[in-house]
Structures are given as structure tokens and as C-alpha cells.
Amino acid sequence: MKSEDAEAELVRRYEEMQRNGERRYFDTEDIEDIAYHYETAHRYAEALDVVEYGLRLHPDNPELEERRADYLLCLDRVEEAEQLINSLPSRSVDALLIRAEIAMIRENLPAAADLITEVLASDELSWEVCLDVIELFFDYNYADRIAPFTEEALSRLPEDEQEDFLHELAHLYEERTLPEQAITTYNRLLDKYPYTLDYWIDLARLLEEQGKYDEAIEACDFALTIDENNIEVLFFRGCCFYDKGDLKTASQIFDSVSEHATDKGTALAMLSTCYSRLGLYTKAIETMQSAVRDYNYILNADLYCQMASDYYETGDTTHAREALAKALDADDCHLESLLFMGELAVKDKAWNDALTFFQRALEQDPNNLYATENLAEIWEELSFTVKDAQKNEYEQKALEYYAAAIDLSGGNDVEMLLKSALLHFKRGDTDEALQEVDAIEEMSHNPDTWKDMDAESRERTKTLLEVIEFLRKRLDSDLNTDIYYF
């Protein structure tokens, strides 16, 4: 295999020849290297052109003919590929694999199995070839053949190739989103090579991704018996405890790691996150400030938003807003920060600012219930500040958002139904109001309606139900459509 520079020079010469309409000589190895350059970029039509040019220079070369058949297959020109490969006498593993793939395309599994058996018996068998076979099984929905093929391959591969084969097979399972098979393969690797640190790290990562935190921690512990001071493993072990919900242990680990790690900022950022979730908001702020001030740690939008929450919990809304502004500078589409900014604006009754933030939030998540509910209430609040046609327009917008919120909640948001009904009553839309009242009354008798409400929402809902009942009684005595909310 040529160096990258040598390959690049070959490609440059070939492309220059094409631009100038020239004919230059390349030996077969050069042709294969140029074709491989295009192949790795999935530019199969160009790779085929290279090989066909090579065949004009080297007619009937068997390796180039096999390459040509392979690229025809990549371009879904199955008939041409089949005709070509069947005309070649070659029984190389490349030729056998091309024939096996065509057999799978034709759904002729017995023929494919015979060809793969021949591959296994070939003197050219290698762990890379075995992986090519497994890729075919995946691509043509014969995944059930992988386990028996793997056993047969391992019985035939030399000892010094078995490790590479299993390691790459684990990666292949990961690429194919088959984590359980990848975990099994790593465990098999570790049975044979128990002192390979990287395998323990990869296994721990996979187990953590599957939510198997205790097993991931155990894998980290095994890794630490190999290298007890490995910062990567220690840090990841802390992450496992964090994800498991054992924040106290996680914070102790991150605190210890921060003393020894080269990247102290990252460890301190995780320690701050632990403190935040533990309700130690002042410590969380101080720790994050240290990460930034002392170690030049660059916060992302999530961490700025976390700091904003910590400031808010300590009653420091000024710094909370500053942190949120920095979060949105880092990512102007950061949904959580937009919602938080909107919430703060609502508390300040800065309705136009709140409107802007919640509308931006809905642009990121059109089905966000919290933003939709707030927009309904904000438009109604804004309707109190205008008159006549504009008032009607704002109320209509409020009703549209109330309807959207009710729809997003599956029709079970009692508070939104109540507020929508009250606004309909106020506007004189009694039919619409009564439909919503009927739904509300049905839900109000269902215990499930109340069980998930906090105390504040429960009291507010009861008050609104009383208002609704009052308005219903007034319907028979010429409802005053100018009644406002209590």
C-alpha cells in the first residue's frame, strides 16, 4: 500500500491526464490504488472508469477484471457484474465474495453458503475477509448466519488474527446498532485478553449507554486493576455513578479527579453539575466559576443554562439572566434557555419579551406544550392592553394557542380548557364555551385528573371551576359578555 502522499500524486496525475485528454501509462498496482481512492469516497462510477482505463492498458488482467465486476455490483449493474464474474476462472476470495453477493441478491442462499464455505477454506482467508462476509450477511438480511460463521471463522483463523477479528466484529455490531452483540463480543475478547485496558473501557462505555450502570462500574473497576491512576477510567466511572443517580459518590470521584486530571475544567464542570442536582447551588456556581476562571473551561449552552438555574435558585435573577444570555450566545436555538428566558419575562410581566422567547422556542419544538400554554396566556394578557379590532385579534390568537395546548395534552389539560372556556364566555361564544365546560365537568369527576397536579395548580383550577359554574348560571339571565377573569 502506497503512502497517502504517493497515492495523492497518482490521483493528481490521473486527473490531470483526464483534463488534458491524454493517455498515460500506469501499472496495475497504480490503477488499483487510484480506483481505491475513489472507492473509499463511495465514488464507484469514477472507480469503475479507472479500472476500465487500466484494462485498456492491461487487457484481461484478472485482478482488474474482478475489480470491474465489484464496481459494477456497487452501481447495481447486477446483470453485467454476474456475466463478467462468471466468465472469469478465478477462485480468489474477492471473486468468491462477488459471486456470493450476487447469489444473495438472487436469494439463492444455498449457492451463497457453498461459496462462503469455499472462502473459509481458502489460503487467502484473513480476518478482513471474514468481516467482509459478515457485512454481506448484514446487508442481505442473513444476520442469523453471523454467529455460526463467526465460530467457523475463529476455528480457521490463525491465533494472531483472532483478536483483530473479534475487536472489529464488536465495532461492526456497534455500527449496526446491536449493542448486546457488541457487549457479548467484548466479553469474549476479555476472556482471552483480560489485561487489555482499551477493551474494558469500550465495554464500560457500551454498558453505560445501555443503562447497565452497575456492570459499567464493574468494568471500570477491572480496568483500574490494570491502571489504577487512569484518569479517563476514573472520570468515566464518575459519569456512571452520575447517570445511575448516585450523585454523592459521583461528586466525590469528580472532586478527586479534578485534583489530578490534566483537563481539570471538565472534571470541575461535572462536579458543579453534581452539586446543582444535589441542591448545593452556591457550591455549584463557585465550582463552575473556578472551571472557567482558573482553567479556561469553555461552557456550552447546557452548562450556562445550568448556571442560570443555580443563580435563580439562590434568588439572583440578574446573574441568571446573564447566564441565559451567554447560553443563547453559544447556541441561539437552545430550547431550555429560550423557555427559561420566557418564564423570567412572564414573572416580570414583560409580555412582549416573553412572547418573543416562547415563539422562538416553538420554532425549535413546534409541539412544546409549555411554550404553547404560555403563548396562549401571553396573548390574552396583551389583549387587555389594546381595544377593538386589535383586541379581538389578540383574543383570537390566545384561543388558537389554547386550542393547540389542549390538543397537545390529548384534551386532558383542565387548566387550559378552563381558561379557553372563560375566554369564549367573555367573547359571547357560548356554544364553544359549553362544549369545553362539558369536557371539564367530565374530567373533574375523574380522580386521575387531580392526582398529578401540584397544590398551586389544584387550587387555581378549583377557583376557575367556580367561575365557570357562576357563568353557567348566568347564561339563562342574559350573560354579560364583558365579564373578566377573577
Side-chain angles (χ1 to χ4, degrees):
M1 181 68 70
K2 291 181 173 61
S3 69
E4 289 186 13
D5 289 344
E7 182 181 303
E9 176 60 20
L10 274 176
V11 173
R12 187 196 66 76
R13 286 179 53 215
Y14 172 77
E15 292 180 347
E16 183 180 63
M17 176 196 75
Q18 285 188 309
R19 285 194 300 272
N20 297 335
E22 299 171 351
R23 181 181 175 90
R24 295 181 183 177
Y25 179 82
F26 297 90
D27 63 28
T28 55
E29 185 180 342
D30 290 342
I31 292 293
E32 289 178 346
D33 287 340
I34 297 167
Y36 182 73
H37 166 80
Y38 293 115
E39 177 186 338
T40 55
H42 305 290
R43 295 160 64 180
Y44 299 116
E46 290 161 282
L48 178 61
D49 289 342
V50 173
V51 168
E52 289 181 339
Y53 179 76
L55 283 166
R56 290 197 291 274
L57 298 174
H58 310 282
D60 302 321
N61 179 276
E63 287 79 14
L64 294 182
E65 291 284 15
E66 287 173 12
R67 284 289 190 99
R68 181 168 180 263
D70 190 23
Y71 294 141
L72 286 168
L73 202 52
C74 291
L75 293 166
D76 293 325
R77 293 162 64 176
V78 180
E79 299 289 345
E80 295 172 74
E82 184 174 24
Q83 184 177 358
L84 174 56
I85 200 67
N86 287 340
S87 71
L88 301 177
S90 174
R91 307 303 290 183
S92 72
V93 291
D94 288 338
L96 291 169
L97 288 173
I98 293 169
R99 292 187 177 99
E101 182 170 1
I102 292 170
M104 290 182 186
I105 292 170
R106 303 298 190 203
E107 298 184 355
N108 187 350
L109 186 55
D114 289 343
L115 289 160
I116 289 169
T117 299
E118 194 173 343
V119 168
L120 285 167
S122 171
D123 292 338
E124 298 177 62
L125 185 69
S126 66
W127 67 267
E128 294 97 337
V129 169
C130 292
L131 283 178
D132 288 339
V133 173
I134 291 174
E135 290 269 22
L136 288 179
F137 284 139
F138 273 127
D139 290 344
Y140 294 98
N141 299 316
Y142 293 116
D144 59 319
R145 299 278 171 154
I146 292 174
F149 173 81
T150 297
E151 297 308 315
E152 186 64 27
L154 286 169
S155 72
R156 291 172 181 263
L157 286 171
E159 184 73 24
D160 61 352
E161 291 197 30
Q162 292 180 18
E163 182 177 3
D164 286 334
F165 173 58
L166 286 171
H167 192 202
E168 292 304 318
L169 178 59
H171 287 165
L172 184 56
Y173 278 131
E174 285 191 72
E175 291 171 8
R176 297 284 179 159
T177 322
L178 295 167
E180 292 300 329
Q181 289 87 331
I183 289 168
T184 298
T185 306
Y186 273 115
N187 278 318
R188 186 169 188 171
L189 265 171
L190 286 162
D191 286 342
K192 297 188 69 172
Y193 313 102
Y195 300 106
T196 306
L197 180 65
D198 287 346
Y199 297 163
W200 285 112
I201 294 173
D202 286 342
L203 176 61
R205 174 180 49 77
L206 275 168
L207 290 166
E208 189 273 341
E209 288 172 359
Q210 295 307 301
K212 299 180 179 182
Y213 304 122
D214 289 332
E215 293 177 58
I217 292 165
E218 185 179 7
C220 289
D221 291 340
F222 277 112
L224 290 170
T225 64
I226 301 169
D227 181 359
E228 65 180 355
N229 296 316
N230 188 290
I231 295 298
E232 178 187 358
V233 177
L234 288 167
F235 182 84
F236 187 74
R237 187 169 179 269
C239 291
C240 292
F241 277 106
Y242 177 87
D243 291 336
K244 181 184 175 182
D246 187 346
L247 301 173
K248 185 175 180 180
T249 302
S251 64
Q252 292 169 348
I253 293 171
F254 292 131
D255 192 17
S256 175
V257 168
S258 68
E259 296 178 7
H260 306 287
T262 302
D263 184 6
K264 296 181 184 295
T266 300
L268 287 172
M270 283 303 300
L271 179 59
S272 173
T273 303
C274 289
Y275 287 149
S276 180
R277 288 186 59 188
L278 286 166
L280 304 172
Y281 304 115
T282 301
K283 288 186 73 173
I285 293 166
E286 291 171 350
T287 304
M288 193 68 81
Q289 286 175 334
S290 175
V292 175
R293 179 185 64 246
D294 302 332
Y295 303 105
N296 299 314
Y297 187 73
I298 299 174
L299 302 187
N300 59 25
D302 288 334
L303 291 176
Y304 276 123
C305 191
Q306 175 195 305
M307 280 195 75
S309 178
D310 295 335
Y311 279 121
Y312 182 78
E313 292 293 343
T314 64
D316 188 346
T317 55
T318 300
H319 281 103
R321 286 189 176 84
E322 289 177 3
L324 287 173
K326 290 178 180 178
L328 292 171
D329 283 342
D331 177 3
D332 62 359
C333 298
H334 192 251
L335 179 62
E336 189 174 351
S337 296
L338 291 168
L339 294 173
F340 201 167
M341 277 290 216
E343 181 181 329
L344 292 177
V346 166
K347 288 184 182 299
D348 291 342
K349 300 187 184 302
W351 305 119
N352 287 312
D353 289 342
L355 188 68
T356 299
F357 286 119
F358 284 121
Q359 284 176 333
R360 285 173 62 188
L362 272 194
E363 289 173 8
Q364 305 309 312
D365 179 10
N367 295 321
N368 190 281
L369 178 59
Y370 183 69
T372 304
E373 289 175 340
N374 274 278
L375 284 168
E377 293 170 351
I378 290 165
W379 277 114
E380 187 163 6
E381 288 290 345
L382 286 171
S383 74
F384 298 142
T385 66
V386 293
K387 295 180 179 179
D388 302 328
Q390 196 170 20
K391 182 180 186 67
N392 180 64
E393 177 189 350
Y394 286 7
E395 288 178 345
Q396 189 59 43
K397 284 182 179 291
L399 288 170
E400 289 171 6
Y401 280 110
Y402 280 131
I406 292 164
D407 184 57
L408 287 171
S409 70
N412 297 319
D413 192 325
V414 177
E415 192 167 352
M416 288 296 103
L417 277 165
L418 283 165
K419 290 184 176 182
S420 178
L422 284 169
L423 183 52
H424 276 303
F425 271 130
K426 174 186 163 186
R427 289 165 55 85
D429 306 329
T430 54
D431 289 342
E432 292 87 345
L434 288 172
Q435 286 179 6
E436 290 173 332
V437 168
D438 289 341
I440 293 164
E441 288 185 338
E442 184 176 344
M443 282 188 286
S444 68
H445 294 102
N446 184 350
D448 290 341
T449 301
W450 302 93
K451 69 179 183 180
D452 294 328
M453 284 190 191
D454 58 34
E456 182 182 352
S457 296
R458 191 177 292 111
E459 288 305 311
R460 188 167 58 245
T461 300
K462 287 179 179 178
T463 300
L464 289 170
L465 281 169
E466 291 172 2
V467 174
I468 287 286
E469 182 60 26
F470 169 76
L471 291 174
R472 288 198 70 172
K473 290 177 180 178
R474 290 290 303 273
L475 282 175
D476 291 333
S477 57
D478 190 20
L479 175 67
N480 178 357
T481 57
D482 290 329
I483 291 177
Y484 286 87
Y485 287 14
F486 285 8

Short mmCIF file of all heavy atoms in Angstrom, two decimals, residues 273-304:
data_model
loop_
_atom_site.label_atom_id
_atom_site.label_comp_id
_atom_site.label_asym_id
_atom_site.label_seq_id
_atom_site.Cartn_x
_atom_site.Cartn_y
_atom_site.Cartn_z
N THR A 273 -22.14 20.18 38.18
CA THR A 273 -23.43 19.60 37.82
C THR A 273 -23.96 18.72 38.93
O THR A 273 -25.17 18.71 39.22
CB THR A 273 -23.29 18.80 36.51
OG1 THR A 273 -22.78 19.66 35.48
CG2 THR A 273 -24.62 18.25 36.06
N CYS A 274 -23.07 17.96 39.57
CA CYS A 274 -23.49 17.14 40.72
C CYS A 274 -24.03 18.02 41.84
O CYS A 274 -25.09 17.75 42.41
CB CYS A 274 -22.32 16.31 41.23
SG CYS A 274 -21.81 14.95 40.16
N TYR A 275 -23.27 19.06 42.17
CA TYR A 275 -23.71 19.97 43.25
C TYR A 275 -25.09 20.57 42.92
O TYR A 275 -25.95 20.70 43.79
CB TYR A 275 -22.70 21.09 43.44
CG TYR A 275 -21.41 20.67 44.12
CD1 TYR A 275 -20.21 21.31 43.82
CD2 TYR A 275 -21.39 19.65 45.07
CE1 TYR A 275 -19.02 20.94 44.45
CE2 TYR A 275 -20.21 19.28 45.70
CZ TYR A 275 -19.03 19.92 45.38
OH TYR A 275 -17.87 19.57 46.00
N SER A 276 -25.28 20.93 41.64
CA SER A 276 -26.55 21.53 41.23
C SER A 276 -27.70 20.57 41.47
O SER A 276 -28.73 20.94 42.04
CB SER A 276 -26.48 21.92 39.75
OG SER A 276 -27.68 22.51 39.32
N ARG A 277 -27.51 19.31 41.08
CA ARG A 277 -28.58 18.32 41.25
C ARG A 277 -28.78 17.94 42.71
O ARG A 277 -29.87 17.50 43.08
CB ARG A 277 -28.27 17.07 40.41
CG ARG A 277 -28.44 17.30 38.92
CD ARG A 277 -28.28 16.01 38.13
NE ARG A 277 -29.23 15.00 38.53
CZ ARG A 277 -29.20 13.74 38.11
NH1 ARG A 277 -28.25 13.35 37.27
NH2 ARG A 277 -30.09 12.85 38.53
N LEU A 278 -27.75 18.14 43.52
CA LEU A 278 -27.87 17.88 44.96
C LEU A 278 -28.50 19.06 45.70
O LEU A 278 -28.73 18.99 46.91
CB LEU A 278 -26.49 17.58 45.56
CG LEU A 278 -25.90 16.20 45.22
CD1 LEU A 278 -24.42 16.16 45.57
CD2 LEU A 278 -26.66 15.11 45.96
N GLY A 279 -28.75 20.15 44.98
CA GLY A 279 -29.35 21.34 45.60
C GLY A 279 -28.33 22.23 46.27
O GLY A 279 -28.71 23.16 47.00
N LEU A 280 -27.05 21.99 46.03
CA LEU A 280 -25.98 22.82 46.61
C LEU A 280 -25.63 23.90 45.60
O LEU A 280 -24.56 23.91 44.98
CB LEU A 280 -24.77 21.95 46.95
CG LEU A 280 -25.05 20.77 47.89
CD1 LEU A 280 -23.84 19.86 48.01
CD2 LEU A 280 -25.48 21.28 49.27
N TYR A 281 -26.55 24.85 45.42
CA TYR A 281 -26.47 25.77 44.30
C TYR A 281 -25.28 26.73 44.40
O TYR A 281 -24.62 27.02 43.40
CB TYR A 281 -27.78 26.56 44.18
CG TYR A 281 -28.97 25.65 44.04
CD1 TYR A 281 -29.96 25.61 45.02
CD2 TYR A 281 -29.10 24.81 42.93
CE1 TYR A 281 -31.05 24.76 44.90
CE2 TYR A 281 -30.19 23.95 42.81
CZ TYR A 281 -31.15 23.94 43.80
OH TYR A 281 -32.22 23.10 43.68
N THR A 282 -24.98 27.21 45.59
CA THR A 282 -23.85 28.13 45.73
C THR A 282 -22.54 27.42 45.41
O THR A 282 -21.68 27.96 44.71
CB THR A 282 -23.80 28.70 47.16
OG1 THR A 282 -25.03 29.40 47.42
CG2 THR A 282 -22.63 29.65 47.32
N LYS A 283 -22.38 26.19 45.91
CA LYS A 283 -21.18 25.41 45.60
C LYS A 283 -21.10 25.12 44.10
O LYS A 283 -20.01 25.12 43.51
CB LYS A 283 -21.16 24.10 46.39
CG LYS A 283 -20.89 24.26 47.87
CD LYS A 283 -20.75 22.93 48.57
CE LYS A 283 -19.44 22.25 48.22
NZ LYS A 283 -19.22 21.02 49.03
N ALA A 284 -22.25 24.86 43.49
CA ALA A 284 -22.28 24.59 42.05
C ALA A 284 -21.77 25.80 41.28
O ALA A 284 -20.96 25.67 40.35
CB ALA A 284 -23.69 24.23 41.60
N ILE A 285 -22.24 26.99 41.67
CA ILE A 285 -21.82 28.22 40.98
C ILE A 285 -20.33 28.45 41.17
O ILE A 285 -19.59 28.74 40.22
CB ILE A 285 -22.63 29.42 41.51
CG1 ILE A 285 -24.10 29.28 41.10
CG2 ILE A 285 -22.05 30.73 40.98
CD1 ILE A 285 -25.03 30.22 41.84
N GLU A 286 -19.86 28.33 42.40
CA GLU A 286 -18.45 28.57 42.70
C GLU A 286 -17.54 27.60 41.94
O GLU A 286 -16.48 27.98 41.43
CB GLU A 286 -18.20 28.46 44.20
CG GLU A 286 -18.85 29.59 45.00
CD GLU A 286 -18.78 29.35 46.51
OE1 GLU A 286 -18.39 28.22 46.91
OE2 GLU A 286 -19.11 30.27 47.28
N THR A 287 -17.97 26.36 41.87
CA THR A 287 -17.16 25.34 41.18
C THR A 287 -17.10 25.60 39.68
O THR A 287 -16.03 25.50 39.07
CB THR A 287 -17.74 23.93 41.45
OG1 THR A 287 -17.81 23.71 42.85
CG2 THR A 287 -16.86 22.85 40.82
N MET A 288 -18.23 25.98 39.09
CA MET A 288 -18.24 26.27 37.66
C MET A 288 -17.42 27.53 37.38
O MET A 288 -16.70 27.60 36.36
CB MET A 288 -19.66 26.45 37.15
CG MET A 288 -19.77 26.44 35.63
SD MET A 288 -19.41 24.81 34.92
CE MET A 288 -20.99 24.00 35.19
N GLN A 289 -17.52 28.51 38.24
CA GLN A 289 -16.71 29.72 38.06
C GLN A 289 -15.23 29.40 38.12
O GLN A 289 -14.43 29.97 37.36
CB GLN A 289 -17.07 30.75 39.15
CG GLN A 289 -18.42 31.42 38.94
CD GLN A 289 -18.80 32.33 40.10
OE1 GLN A 289 -18.35 32.13 41.23
NE2 GLN A 289 -19.64 33.32 39.82
N SER A 290 -14.85 28.48 38.99
CA SER A 290 -13.44 28.06 39.07
C SER A 290 -13.01 27.38 37.78
O SER A 290 -11.90 27.62 37.29
CB SER A 290 -13.25 27.11 40.25
OG SER A 290 -11.92 26.61 40.28
N ALA A 291 -13.87 26.55 37.23
CA ALA A 291 -13.54 25.88 35.97
C ALA A 291 -13.25 26.89 34.87
O ALA A 291 -12.31 26.74 34.08
CB ALA A 291 -14.68 24.95 35.56
N VAL A 292 -14.06 27.93 34.83
CA VAL A 292 -13.91 28.96 33.79
C VAL A 292 -12.72 29.88 34.08
O VAL A 292 -11.89 30.14 33.21
CB VAL A 292 -15.21 29.79 33.66
CG1 VAL A 292 -15.01 30.93 32.69
CG2 VAL A 292 -16.37 28.89 33.23
N ARG A 293 -12.66 30.34 35.33
CA ARG A 293 -11.66 31.34 35.70
C ARG A 293 -10.25 30.73 35.78
O ARG A 293 -9.29 31.29 35.26
CB ARG A 293 -12.04 31.96 37.04
CG ARG A 293 -11.06 33.01 37.56
CD ARG A 293 -11.45 33.46 38.95
NE ARG A 293 -11.36 32.39 39.93
CZ ARG A 293 -12.41 31.87 40.57
NH1 ARG A 293 -13.62 32.33 40.34
NH2 ARG A 293 -12.26 30.90 41.45
N ASP A 294 -10.14 29.59 36.43
CA ASP A 294 -8.81 29.03 36.72
C ASP A 294 -8.28 28.11 35.64
O ASP A 294 -7.07 27.92 35.53
CB ASP A 294 -8.85 28.28 38.06
CG ASP A 294 -9.30 29.17 39.21
OD1 ASP A 294 -9.06 30.39 39.13
OD2 ASP A 294 -9.90 28.65 40.18
N TYR A 295 -9.18 27.53 34.84
CA TYR A 295 -8.72 26.54 33.87
C TYR A 295 -9.23 26.80 32.46
O TYR A 295 -9.17 25.93 31.60
CB TYR A 295 -9.14 25.13 34.34
CG TYR A 295 -8.60 24.83 35.72
CD1 TYR A 295 -9.43 24.86 36.84
CD2 TYR A 295 -7.25 24.58 35.90
CE1 TYR A 295 -8.93 24.62 38.11
CE2 TYR A 295 -6.74 24.33 37.16
CZ TYR A 295 -7.57 24.36 38.26
OH TYR A 295 -7.06 24.12 39.52
N ASN A 296 -9.77 28.01 32.24
CA ASN A 296 -10.20 28.44 30.90
C ASN A 296 -11.19 27.47 30.27
O ASN A 296 -11.18 27.26 29.06
CB ASN A 296 -8.98 28.61 29.98
CG ASN A 296 -8.02 29.66 30.49
OD1 ASN A 296 -8.43 30.74 30.88
ND2 ASN A 296 -6.73 29.33 30.49
N TYR A 297 -12.02 26.87 31.11
CA TYR A 297 -13.01 25.93 30.59
C TYR A 297 -14.09 26.71 29.85
O TYR A 297 -14.60 27.72 30.34
CB TYR A 297 -13.64 25.13 31.73
CG TYR A 297 -14.55 24.03 31.26
CD1 TYR A 297 -14.05 22.87 30.68
CD2 TYR A 297 -15.93 24.17 31.37
CE1 TYR A 297 -14.89 21.88 30.25
CE2 TYR A 297 -16.78 23.17 30.94
CZ TYR A 297 -16.26 22.03 30.37
OH TYR A 297 -17.09 21.03 29.92
N ILE A 298 -14.42 26.24 28.66
CA ILE A 298 -15.42 26.92 27.83
C ILE A 298 -16.77 26.25 28.05
O ILE A 298 -16.94 25.05 27.76
CB ILE A 298 -15.03 26.86 26.34
CG1 ILE A 298 -13.69 27.59 26.13
CG2 ILE A 298 -16.12 27.49 25.48
CD1 ILE A 298 -13.14 27.47 24.73
N LEU A 299 -17.71 27.01 28.56
CA LEU A 299 -19.04 26.46 28.83
C LEU A 299 -19.86 26.37 27.55
O LEU A 299 -19.77 27.24 26.68
CB LEU A 299 -19.79 27.33 29.84
CG LEU A 299 -19.13 27.55 31.20
CD1 LEU A 299 -20.09 28.28 32.13
CD2 LEU A 299 -18.70 26.24 31.83
N ASN A 300 -20.65 25.32 27.45
CA ASN A 300 -21.61 25.24 26.36
C ASN A 300 -22.96 25.75 26.84
O ASN A 300 -23.13 26.14 28.00
CB ASN A 300 -21.71 23.81 25.82
CG ASN A 300 -22.15 22.81 26.89
OD1 ASN A 300 -22.80 23.17 27.88
ND2 ASN A 300 -21.79 21.55 26.71
N ALA A 301 -23.94 25.75 25.97
CA ALA A 301 -25.25 26.32 26.30
C ALA A 301 -25.90 25.57 27.47
O ALA A 301 -26.54 26.18 28.34
CB ALA A 301 -26.16 26.29 25.08
N ASP A 302 -25.74 24.24 27.52
CA ASP A 302 -26.33 23.46 28.61
C ASP A 302 -25.79 23.91 29.96
O ASP A 302 -26.54 24.04 30.94
CB ASP A 302 -26.06 21.97 28.41
CG ASP A 302 -26.86 21.37 27.27
OD1 ASP A 302 -27.94 21.92 26.97
OD2 ASP A 302 -26.43 20.37 26.70
N LEU A 303 -24.46 24.12 30.02
CA LEU A 303 -23.85 24.48 31.30
C LEU A 303 -24.18 25.91 31.71
O LEU A 303 -24.37 26.21 32.89
CB LEU A 303 -22.33 24.26 31.23
CG LEU A 303 -21.91 22.79 31.15
CD1 LEU A 303 -20.41 22.67 30.99
CD2 LEU A 303 -22.37 22.02 32.38
N TYR A 304 -24.25 26.82 30.72
CA TYR A 304 -24.69 28.18 31.05
C TYR A 304 -26.13 28.15 31.60
O TYR A 304 -26.47 28.86 32.54
CB TYR A 304 -24.64 29.08 29.83
CG TYR A 304 -23.29 29.69 29.55
CD1 TYR A 304 -22.65 29.49 28.33
CD2 TYR A 304 -22.66 30.50 30.50
CE1 TYR A 304 -21.41 30.08 28.07
CE2 TYR A 304 -21.42 31.08 30.25
CZ TYR A 304 -20.80 30.86 29.04
OH TYR A 304 -19.57 31.43 28.79
#
